[in-house]
Amino acid sequence: MLLAQAPLHQWINFTAFARFVYRLNPTFLQRRQRAFASPHWWIEQEEGRPLQPTQWNDWLRAEGRYLARLLQGPLYWWGASDLALSADGRLLAFRLTSMAGFLLNGLSIIEQDRLLANGPAEPAIEMSEQGELSILSSPENWPVIELIERFAEVQGVQAGRLSYRLTPKSLGEALHRGEVFAPLLDLLHRVVDASSIENSSMASALYQLERRIAHYGRARLYTDVTLLEVADTLTMRELGATTSIEKQIAHRIHPTLVLLNKQGGEQLVEELKRRGQTPLLHGDE
Amino acid sequence: MDVSDLYLLQNVPPYHLQALVKARHLPVFTNPADAISLSSLNLPEIGEALFDPEACQEVIRGLGEIETRILNELVACGGRANSRDLALYFTSAQLLNTGKDKHVGAQFIAPSPSEKSSDVSAFPGTEPHTGGTRYKRDTPTLGIGSLRPYAEAAPPSALQYPTPHPHGVFEQALHRLLMLGLLFWGKQTNFVGRDYANGVYDGVLIVPQAVMDAAQAVLRSHVGAQFIAPSSQADALAADYQEDLRSLQRSLYLYWSLVSSVREGLSLVSSKLLSRPALRQVIEQLGPPADIERIRTEADGPHLLFMRLLLMKLGLLYERNGAILAAPADAFFALPLLERARRCYRLWLETSFWNELNYLPGVILRPGPGPLDPAHPEVIHARAMVMERILQAQSGEWHTLPAFIARAKLYVPYLLFPRQYGARAERYSTGSNPYGWDFRLRHGWLTHREGWHLVEGGFIRAMLSGPLRWLGLVELHEENDMDAFRLLPQSALITGETAFDIEELPWGKLVVQPNFEMLALAPVSEALLIRLDRFAERTRLEQIAQYRLTKASVTRAIQMGMHAEEIQQILEQAGGGSLPQNVCYSLMEWERQARRIELWPRMTLLEVDDAALLDELFADAKTRPLFGRRLAPLLAEVVSDQLANLQELLWQREYLPALVVAPVYTQVLESGRMPVHEPQWRLLGDGLLQPCYPVVNLYLAAELERITTYDEATGWRRITPSSIQRSPDIPLEHIVRFLQQYCLDGVPPSFLIRLKLWGGGYDRQNVISVEAAPMLRLSAQALHDIQADEEVGELLEEEVPSENRLVRVPQDRLARIVELLRERGFVVED
């Protein structure tokens, strides 16, 4: 039971927790039923549209809702969970109480206090030279998992450990969102420091990661760009006089080669077509 | 003597042993007194005499025609077969007749007298050149018949095992073979209390190993090499048989060409079959219009489905976003004809894209496979076994399907249903076959015996009437409800592994006329058609192909990345000479006009901080294909589908490339719609914008330029009063939000004051007055009353307007505050 593994007395973001459960055991509710070609029962969103527990959005509609109900209903009534709800009553976060420790793990208050006093252990993370991170899915790693999921690509579960990969895409997206790398690097430094001396591959992987992050912004890729080129400057002047091109130019590369705003490209084509001057529109192949 | 032969003798009743000894005139036991000693069963001695190679060969040579055929068939199928299955084959293949009409491959076709050979016909197991009609060039083209669901087109004839009769020709022949010790019944055959040598039983017939060896030795001495020599195979292909191979390749080309001409591809429905409109397009291109109404889904037209799946397997078509799209096909169609045919054949034979079990005539499968479900490995294995049988058949002769299927049962009895999956008799039930399906008739269950001819036999029919016909390996007899087939001569070449040095017929030339018409003369190569399709309009395609060059078609080609020079080169190469002058001129002029204004939407660009990096990437042959043009020293085009590879490449070089999607909304500052993005600058107190990265987002930089000026000292941008006032259309609020969002740590408060003053952010009230103390603080009502008081009112001065704010300032700091406020841009009145 994954809920029993969640840390006590700690506020947990419900969406993140749900994703955690989805990753580890998406079919916890329907179990083997999904393996059958003709299951005995299933959940439908509407008539003839069965929900697929392996699809995140479908899973949220059935299993995710069940989890929320469990926390907001029985566990809350028994005093096993504290809740943080949005204005419209949606579950935002929850905190398991001592009662949950007792009900779910059979821990007495004294035992729970002793466990709390021991403090969280250093999270057991392994990092390969290729930037793959492997984390034990245990309650004390829960905040770390949340942190890593902000920067890394999910790679599934391998040998009971959550697997992630730091890729240019995932790191670039994190930076694009305005995420700050310091907590991640700090965590990885702590892991490297805590690991044995012979584990130098982790140290070198971390060093490489830091260099890459330091080099962020030295190269920039632009997608979905609209490029306009004309035969000569005379044609460009003509376009300037007869169309709205000047307003659409985002960047001039050469006098005859410019970057247009996205809508600007479409508008220019329309204007030229109206004037009977169909531009050569290149395909995206 | 083989131990198994001795074992056979041990299971023979003593009276039959005596009969054997007599019939074979074994010298040791010819004395009647010795007959008693047989009861002591001196089997090894009897066996030695009975299975003596020389003696066996002599007996075999003395056999009658029917006995010889039976014995040789048994030897060919491994020495064991069920007696009734053997009887069925001999009856259905009409092998029990003797004389002139013996061994007729197909009843409906009279054999040519010149093709009979008395020597060879004595050994039917060798499949001599008797019966049937020699191959004649009358292969029907794939038309309506080929589009018909072939499972329905080949209904199995009613199965009738011949009734065993003690005086029947087959049974009598068996009797003689049993009597001569050339044949034995299997251990499980029930003949207790009856005559062992009777040929009417339903049981397994076994040929002793010694007899097998002797029969093969006799065969070898009679039959010369009957195979077709490689040179004659090569000759066969070099002749007009190439037409059959071309037919398939032409169909593949037409299908591919249709898909490539539809920009958004052929749409699929949720079952992954073609949608109805897409299917109509395919039928219009490949089949007669009459089929449009009959074929409602792709599953109704197996030939078309097979073509699509084969093209996908060849990598010439692919699925993306619920549509079938065309991949480059030049390389495939440029291959020699035979190589292409072989690839198609191998893909069908060895992969799972086609499932013949979907097309068993008259058999219902529950739950059964879907039309696109891949074939089970056992199906692929069974396919190979059947192909082995088919290729044993004499090329060019007609073979009836019932006889072929009956014979196949003798050779591959466990076809489709290996014994490890369950009891043989229950193989058509779920749980006893590898497929987990029930195989049954529409109204009842299949029996063990008839089932073979409907399920396994249906599988063979499905192979012959489907893929093998479509691939140009066999021909079906159209006039006899497709119940006979013949191997086409090129089948040996297609199915073989040998690399023949075959010279293909030269492709026809291309004639380009001054009126822009082009004629590709027969035989037309598909590779040329593909090239012409790119820049010309096809007007006709039969034996010859007719195209027309137009401004629109050339412009379309240029749009796809071609150049007029390249088009000219292709045409000159295909035509073997120079083009008419007006055609050359028009090509150049059309290109010039087309390229006057060029627009590339959805491009991917790479911007770097160091030109040396791009120099290096463009110079390296491995990384060059990732890029298109180099637009500027620091800016290059990236091939669209290489983005991930380029990201990985830069990652390997310790770069973390930033990824920017071109903003959907233009005029960010006017609209106030700011896309999410990481900060690009740090705004300093003096209005200078220090870039956070060597390469900043050029879209944001372009916006920034509208509210800043270039600072020559630093090379950065700077916000000045004039730069802010230059764009009165941009609201100050948007400027502030832009700077807050894209500047690290936002806007310094001191600079925010200046910014607001420059932008008229204080409602143009930039004057601050220093009020002299003392002042009274009291309620509005009290102030109203004391202002009316005739004594107090006269002592008060002007009231501070209520819309202004007052703040206390210590006297000793006043001068400094006034100085700073003036520095910020306020006018301070003492």
Side-chain angles (χ1 to χ4, degrees):
Chain A
M1 174 87 184
L2 290 167
L3 206 53
Q5 293 182 28
L8 300 177
H9 311 296
Q10 196 174 317
W11 281 103
I12 297 170
N13 180 304
F14 175 70
T15 311
F17 178 74
R19 185 171 274 280
F20 175 72
V21 176
Y22 166 73
R23 295 240 0 251
L24 281 180
N25 191 359
T27 55
F28 77 93
L29 197 56
Q30 303 187 41
R31 293 188 170 267
R32 290 189 309 138
Q33 288 299 321
R34 296 311 307 173
F36 300 144
S38 308
H40 296 152
W41 63 271
W42 59 91
I43 303 172
E44 289 186 352
Q45 188 187 5
E46 58 203 43
E47 185 69 32
R49 156 84 166 92
L51 292 170
Q52 302 293 331
T54 49
Q55 310 261 332
W56 168 241
N57 285 334
D58 281 6
W59 189 92
L60 267 186
R61 288 196 177 92
E63 282 80 359
R65 190 169 291 181
Y66 168 83
L67 265 186
R69 286 282 170 194
L70 184 68
L71 288 160
Q72 287 177 276
L75 289 178
Y76 180 65
W77 300 329
W78 293 328
S81 65
D82 294 331
L83 306 174
L85 303 173
S86 67
D88 57 356
R90 205 159 34 83
L91 180 61
L92 296 176
F94 66 95
R95 180 172 62 179
L96 295 179
T97 64
S98 304
M99 181 59 82
F102 176 70
L103 289 174
L104 302 175
N105 293 321
L107 294 173
S108 67
I109 301 293
I110 298 166
E111 283 172 311
Q112 288 181 29
D113 287 346
R114 187 167 47 79
L115 284 173
L116 275 174
N118 288 342
E122 202 57 54
I125 303 178
E126 286 174 12
M127 185 177 177
S128 74
E129 280 184 78
Q130 288 74 38
E132 281 166 4
L133 298 170
S134 156
I135 308 161
L136 197 65
S137 60
S138 58
E140 59 270 19
N141 282 349
W142 177 242
V144 174
I145 291 168
E146 206 179 342
L147 172 67
I148 285 176
E149 288 204 345
R150 279 156 49 195
F151 296 96
E153 226 169 59
V154 172
Q155 296 280 299
V157 180
Q158 285 165 7
R161 294 172 74 92
L162 299 176
S163 188
Y164 297 92
R165 188 177 161 84
L166 294 168
T167 64
K169 185 167 178 275
S170 67
L171 289 170
E173 282 173 358
L175 272 165
H176 191 74
R177 285 194 305 269
E179 299 279 1
V180 180
F181 276 96
L184 177 71
L185 293 175
D186 188 42
L187 168 77
L188 295 176
H189 269 295
R190 276 190 286 129
V191 170
V192 169
D193 293 345
S195 65
S196 55
I197 274 181
E198 58 265 24
N199 202 349
S200 59
S201 68
M202 270 178 73
S204 76
L206 178 58
Y207 173 71
Q208 236 181 356
L209 177 67
E210 285 181 312
R211 281 180 61 85
R212 283 167 176 153
I213 291 171
H215 288 173
Y216 180 77
R218 288 192 60 193
R220 202 169 280 274
L221 286 158
Y222 301 91
T223 61
D224 221 7
V225 170
T226 306
L227 204 62
L228 174 89
E229 186 169 24
V230 292
D232 44 40
T233 49
L234 197 66
T235 311
M236 186 61 95
R237 277 208 297 275
E238 184 192 320
L239 280 181
T242 56
T243 67
S244 63
I245 190 172
E246 290 299 330
K247 284 185 183 173
Q248 318 297 351
I249 292 174
H251 180 71
R252 281 182 198 275
I253 300 168
H254 293 308
T256 57
L257 182 64
V258 293
L259 279 189
L260 297 183
N261 293 316
K262 190 171 178 179
Q263 286 177 335
E266 291 159 12
Q267 193 176 327
L268 186 68
V269 171
E270 286 305 312
E271 287 176 25
L272 285 170
K273 277 184 181 172
R274 276 202 295 273
R275 298 179 62 83
Q277 294 178 299
T278 308
L280 183 62
L281 195 61
H282 289 270
D284 53 348
E285 295 300 320
Chain B
M1 184 178 60
D2 200 280
V3 181
S4 62
D5 294 352
L6 187 61
Y7 182 71
L8 279 175
L9 281 180
Q10 283 170 349
N11 289 303
V12 168
Y15 67 84
H16 184 66
L17 269 183
Q18 285 180 344
L20 278 183
V21 169
K22 274 187 186 172
R24 291 283 295 272
H25 307 291
L26 298 183
V28 189
F29 308 100
T30 45
N31 188 341
D34 289 340
I36 299 161
S37 66
L38 283 173
S39 58
S40 61
L41 294 177
N42 190 1
L43 287 178
E45 281 185 44
I46 296 173
E48 288 294 341
L50 193 65
F51 299 132
D52 175 64
E54 290 297 322
C56 285
Q57 287 182 27
E58 194 182 328
V59 175
I60 291 168
R61 282 194 197 96
L63 287 176
E65 195 175 320
I66 305 290
E67 290 87 13
T68 308
R69 283 183 189 165
I70 292 174
L71 184 63
N72 282 307
E73 192 64 45
L74 279 165
V75 169
C77 73
R80 306 169 74 96
N82 178 277
S83 58
R84 299 321 300 160
D85 286 341
L86 193 62
L88 176 66
Y89 165 56
F90 269 72
T91 311
S92 56
Q94 303 198 6
L95 291 171
L96 297 175
N97 303 328
T98 54
K100 283 187 178 177
D101 57 342
K102 67 191 173 187
H103 190 211
V104 181
Q107 187 186 2
F108 48 90
I109 298 170
S112 155
S114 62
E115 288 167 346
K116 290 177 186 167
S117 157
S118 59
D119 276 354
V120 179
S121 63
F123 302 95
T126 59
E127 306 205 12
H129 285 281
T130 56
T133 308
R134 297 295 295 167
Y135 181 76
K136 197 170 65 174
R137 181 85 207 115
D138 56 355
T139 311
T141 52
L142 296 174
I144 300 173
S146 61
L147 291 172
R148 212 155 55 197
Y150 63 94
E152 290 170 21
S157 52
L159 177 72
Q160 282 189 336
Y161 268 81
T163 311
H165 194 280
H167 301 293
V169 177
F170 179 78
E171 289 78 6
Q172 282 293 308
L174 277 194
H175 171 73
R176 282 192 288 281
L177 289 168
L178 288 161
M179 282 303 293
L180 288 170
L182 300 177
L183 210 54
F184 291 84
W185 288 110
K187 198 178 171 185
Q188 290 176 341
T189 309
N190 180 18
F191 49 80
V192 176
R194 290 183 286 174
D195 180 16
Y196 182 91
N198 198 329
V200 296
Y201 306 130
D202 182 354
V204 177
L205 291 166
I206 300 172
V207 183
Q209 188 57 47
V211 178
M212 297 253 292
D213 297 341
Q216 279 162 353
V218 174
L219 275 176
R220 274 195 297 274
S221 65
H222 277 74
V223 183
Q226 292 295 318
F227 60 89
I228 302 173
S231 60
S232 62
Q233 291 179 342
D235 292 346
L237 189 79
D240 57 343
Y241 298 126
Q242 284 195 19
E243 277 305 311
D244 292 311
L245 302 187
R246 286 217 186 95
S247 165
L248 170 72
Q249 297 303 320
R250 179 59 55 87
S251 301
L252 290 175
Y253 157 74
L254 283 172
Y255 203 123
W256 178 88
S257 156
L258 168 71
V259 180
S260 72
S261 68
V262 184
R263 190 176 166 77
E264 62 278 7
L266 298 184
S267 58
L268 296 174
V269 291
S270 57
S271 63
K272 301 281 180 188
L273 292 173
L274 285 184
S275 67
R276 184 104 174 99
L279 187 60
R280 287 177 81 97
Q281 282 179 286
V282 174
I283 296 171
E284 278 164 12
Q285 175 88 318
L286 289 162
D291 284 323
I292 288 182
E293 293 311 315
R294 194 185 58 74
I295 300 178
R296 304 194 69 79
T297 73
E298 208 181 8
D300 296 337
H303 177 223
L304 298 179
L305 181 60
F306 179 82
M307 299 269 281
R308 172 165 79 83
L309 297 178
L310 179 61
L311 281 164
M312 291 178 80
K313 202 72 193 169
L314 284 165
L316 307 183
L317 298 182
Y318 63 97
E319 186 199 334
R320 193 173 68 188
N321 301 332
I324 298 295
L325 300 166
D330 308 55
F332 174 76
F333 284 109
L335 290 171
L337 193 59
L338 180 59
E339 176 59 25
R340 279 184 272 159
R342 278 184 173 178
R343 283 195 189 189
C344 294
Y345 167 72
R346 285 279 156 209
L347 278 177
W348 162 74
L349 184 69
E350 292 164 5
T351 65
S352 61
F353 77 87
W354 189 250
N355 193 352
E356 285 83 0
L357 290 185
N358 266 317
Y359 304 96
L360 299 184
V363 179
I364 309 285
L365 275 63
R366 294 276 164 75
L372 296 178
D373 284 353
H376 190 280
E378 277 305 332
V379 172
I380 298 170
H381 184 227
R383 213 181 268 159
M385 288 199 282
V386 175
M387 272 317 295
E388 205 175 309
R389 295 298 321 138
I390 290 172
L391 292 173
Q392 294 280 322
Q394 189 63 46
S395 172
E397 287 180 13
W398 290 105
H399 302 272
T400 60
L401 275 169
F404 182 80
I405 290 166
R407 193 176 188 205
K409 191 180 181 191
L410 306 175
Y411 289 78
V412 281
Y414 291 95
L415 189 73
L416 286 172
F417 300 95
R419 25 178 121 196
Q420 68 265 27
Y421 290 97
R424 177 108 184 107
E426 291 167 15
R427 65 185 186 275
Y428 300 127
S429 302
T430 313
S432 295
N433 62 54
Y435 316 104
W437 302 329
D438 274 329
F439 293 74
R440 52 177 300 178
L441 297 171
R442 198 173 295 279
H443 301 293
W445 295 99
L446 284 161
T447 63
H448 164 61
R449 183 157 267 169
E450 75 173 345
W452 208 96
H453 294 272
L454 289 170
V455 177
E456 288 91 332
F459 176 76
I460 295 170
R461 282 174 188 277
M463 278 177 63
L464 284 164
S465 57
L468 288 175
R469 183 167 60 130
W470 301 328
L471 290 167
L473 269 75
V474 301
E475 180 188 5
L476 297 187
H477 199 277
E478 299 277 356
E479 291 164 17
N480 198 35
D481 211 5
M482 293 196 184
D483 227 15
F485 75 95
R486 63 177 170 184
L487 269 179
L488 297 177
Q490 65 270 17
S491 58
L493 290 173
I494 297 172
T495 56
E497 300 282 348
T498 320
F500 294 112
D501 187 18
I502 296 168
E503 194 177 327
E504 283 195 44
L505 292 178
W507 300 112
K509 273 192 174 182
L510 180 76
V511 180
V512 182
Q513 300 176 89
N515 64 355
F516 299 96
E517 294 282 347
M518 298 191 294
L519 278 178
L521 302 177
V524 185
S525 117
E526 282 79 24
L528 175 63
L529 292 177
I530 285 178
R531 284 201 292 271
L532 293 178
D533 281 342
R534 291 165 67 188
F535 56 81
E537 288 166 6
R538 194 172 64 220
T539 52
R540 187 175 153 219
L541 176 58
E542 287 165 8
Q543 291 297 315
I544 61 159
Q546 215 168 334
Y547 280 83
R548 184 169 175 77
L549 267 178
T550 64
K551 184 181 176 185
S553 67
V554 171
T555 306
R556 193 184 65 225
I558 289 168
Q559 204 168 340
M560 300 305 288
M562 287 191 88
H563 290 81
E565 275 179 19
E566 192 185 345
I567 295 172
Q568 189 178 340
Q569 199 179 350
I570 290 171
L571 294 177
E572 286 178 346
Q573 197 180 346
S578 56
L579 297 181
Q581 205 175 4
N582 67 319
V583 174
C584 284
Y585 174 79
S586 296
L587 280 175
M588 298 303 166
E589 178 57 21
W590 288 339
E591 177 171 36
R592 195 191 66 76
Q593 288 179 17
R595 293 193 187 281
R596 189 166 168 267
I597 303 170
E598 289 180 87
L599 202 66
W600 288 266
R602 294 180 290 281
M603 289 288 288
T604 303
L605 302 182
L606 171 68
E607 188 181 14
V608 295
D609 65 329
D610 185 359
L613 175 64
L614 279 186
D615 292 343
E616 195 185 331
L617 293 174
F618 269 73
D620 188 340
K622 281 184 187 167
T623 54
R624 181 65 186 86
L626 301 177
F627 298 97
R629 294 180 299 168
R630 188 160 179 181
L631 304 174
L634 299 176
L635 196 65
E637 282 177 6
V638 179
V639 177
S640 290
D641 57 358
Q642 296 294 340
L643 174 63
N645 291 339
L646 181 60
Q647 273 181 307
E648 187 59 36
L649 175 80
L650 293 170
W651 178 254
Q652 295 304 329
R653 292 178 179 233
E654 295 199 335
Y655 280 89
L656 176 53
L659 187 65
V660 179
V661 181
V664 174
Y665 302 111
T666 55
Q667 314 288 320
V668 168
L669 281 168
E670 272 94 347
S671 66
R673 285 182 289 210
M674 315 273 171
V676 175
H677 205 284
E678 82 270 16
Q680 297 289 295
W681 301 275
R682 184 188 296 276
L683 181 54
L684 305 180
D686 55 359
L688 263 178
L689 286 138
Q690 179 187 15
C692 294
Y693 307 107
V695 179
V696 294
N697 180 335
L698 58 82
Y699 286 96
L700 293 179
E703 288 294 318
L704 187 75
E705 280 180 17
R706 302 173 62 198
I707 52 168
T708 55
T709 53
Y710 181 71
D711 184 75
E712 285 190 3
T714 58
W716 302 341
R717 307 295 302 184
R718 181 195 285 277
I719 301 175
T720 62
S722 61
S723 72
I724 291 294
Q725 285 150 15
R726 198 173 56 207
S727 305
D729 298 341
I730 302 172
L732 178 68
E733 183 201 343
H734 293 177
I735 295 174
V736 174
R737 269 180 49 209
F738 181 91
L739 295 172
Q740 295 282 16
Q741 189 161 339
Y742 301 125
C743 291
L744 197 63
D745 302 329
V747 184
S750 60
F751 186 74
L752 186 63
I753 295 170
R754 285 199 194 101
L755 191 61
K756 286 188 175 179
L757 283 170
W758 296 339
Y762 297 114
D763 295 331
R764 305 196 181 279
Q765 292 181 7
N766 58 348
V767 179
I768 297 178
S769 301
V770 179
E771 293 290 340
M775 299 180 82
L776 296 178
R777 186 173 71 184
L778 66 172
S779 69
Q781 196 180 359
L783 178 62
H784 179 262
D785 290 346
I786 62 173
Q787 277 177 331
D789 185 299
E790 57 276 10
E791 283 183 275
V792 184
E794 284 181 6
L795 299 175
L796 295 175
E797 289 193 1
E798 193 186 344
E799 184 189 351
V800 178
S802 60
E803 63 270 19
N804 290 351
R805 294 285 182 273
L806 291 171
V807 62
R808 291 197 186 91
V809 175
Q811 187 62 46
D812 57 333
R813 296 184 200 161
L814 179 62
R816 175 66 182 147
I817 289 171
V818 168
E819 183 190 340
L820 287 173
L821 287 173
R822 284 188 174 136
E823 204 179 291
R824 300 283 184 273
F826 286 104
V827 176
V828 182
E829 293 175 348
D830 290 329

